[in-house]
Amino acid sequence: MTLSGPIPDESTILHFRHLLERHQLGEALLETINAPLAGQGLRLQAGTIVDASIIAGRLTKNQPARATNFGMKLHIGTDAETGTHSLSTTAANAADVTEAHRLLRGGEREAWGDAGYQGVERRPELAGSEVEWRVAMRPGRRRTLSADSALAERERQRASLRAKVEHPFLYIKRRFGYDKVRYRGLAKNHQRLALLLGFTNLLIAEPQLA
């Protein structure tokens, strides 16, 4: 497929970005992209995989201290097939578990997370939730397991499933080059990341749509 017409100039692209930020359209576009994927049966409703990744900051001596100067953290909720359905952004030092409730789409029966989500079921934000959390053991405890034990096998199976949540981060950081924050403040970065996650979902689902 080729694009016709002139390539938008820098000012046009800048105005478009500001439009997305002003009306908080990044997440709306993510939902718009996800809707036809769900319509084609590419979304699993049974569970969500949650994870977080730090996006490095751009601290310089002449900048005032801001949260994003020191990096930020992108938290996402995904399914096993087509990628991200929810996101949250925080300062880099925020604990993963504090954002878990924002990453559930509703209707899922199970959720998977790494050891950073230990204790998630006791979080006040999830009081009354019927989601069954399947969270990895802490590394120290896991190392004490016998390699051929049932618990060790369970941890391997869970790790294999959780590994799929890494794919969106790889696209964001490597394919789209968003390995450092682009703008001052979380809000602008949040909208841009939401849009890129939508594009990522299309790329992940492309083989199944062909």
Side-chain angles (χ1 to χ4, degrees):
M1 182 179 69
T2 58
L3 298 176
S4 59
I7 297 175
D9 59 31
E10 185 176 354
S11 295
T12 300
I13 294 173
L14 182 63
H15 290 320
F16 178 68
R17 177 169 68 79
H18 287 167
L19 179 69
L20 293 178
E21 295 164 359
R22 186 164 57 250
H23 297 285
Q24 300 181 357
L25 295 177
E27 287 184 85
L29 288 169
L30 173 61
E31 293 176 4
T32 300
I33 290 170
N34 286 346
L37 298 179
Q40 299 214 20
L42 294 180
R43 294 217 159 267
L44 302 181
Q45 299 300 321
T48 287
I49 313 168
V50 298
D51 202 1
S53 183
I54 289 177
I55 297 176
R58 293 180 177 275
L59 182 64
T60 67
K61 289 189 292 187
N62 295 325
Q63 285 182 324
R66 297 173 184 267
T68 48
N69 291 158
F70 302 96
M72 61 180 289
K73 188 176 284 188
L74 171 63
H75 309 255
I76 62 173
T78 75
D79 61 40
E81 298 300 320
T82 52
T84 304
H85 55 69
S86 53
L87 78 152
S88 174
T89 51
T90 65
N93 61 353
D96 297 357
V97 70
T98 63
E99 296 299 299
H101 65 292
R102 302 184 192 279
L103 306 179
L104 301 177
R105 70 187 136 200
E108 59 263 87
R109 298 188 296 273
E110 298 176 320
W112 291 265
D114 63 22
Y117 295 90
Q118 284 282 338
V120 63
E121 65 279 355
R122 298 189 297 275
R123 297 287 303 179
E125 305 93 344
L126 290 166
S129 171
E130 296 182 356
V131 174
E132 183 174 354
W133 284 89
R134 304 189 181 279
V135 177
M137 289 182 179
R138 296 195 185 280
R141 184 185 174 195
R142 190 172 63 247
R143 285 192 291 269
T144 67
L145 299 177
S146 172
D148 58 356
S149 68
L151 279 177
E153 177 59 25
R154 185 195 70 177
E155 288 301 299
R156 284 191 290 269
Q157 291 177 358
R158 289 184 178 182
S160 178
L161 179 61
R162 290 195 311 272
K164 296 182 179 182
V165 80
E166 297 295 333
H167 298 169
F169 293 130
L170 291 174
Y171 276 89
I172 290 294
K173 293 185 176 183
R174 296 184 183 178
R175 185 146 188 177
F176 295 119
Y178 215 102
D179 57 343
K180 289 184 173 61
V181 294
R182 298 291 179 85
Y183 316 110
R184 295 182 181 179
L186 289 174
K188 293 180 179 181
N189 289 285
H190 181 97
Q191 296 303 318
R192 179 71 173 269
L193 286 166
L195 185 58
L196 293 182
L197 286 167
F199 295 156
T200 295
N201 287 351
L202 289 174
L203 292 171
I204 291 174
E206 185 176 19
Q208 300 173 68
L209 296 172

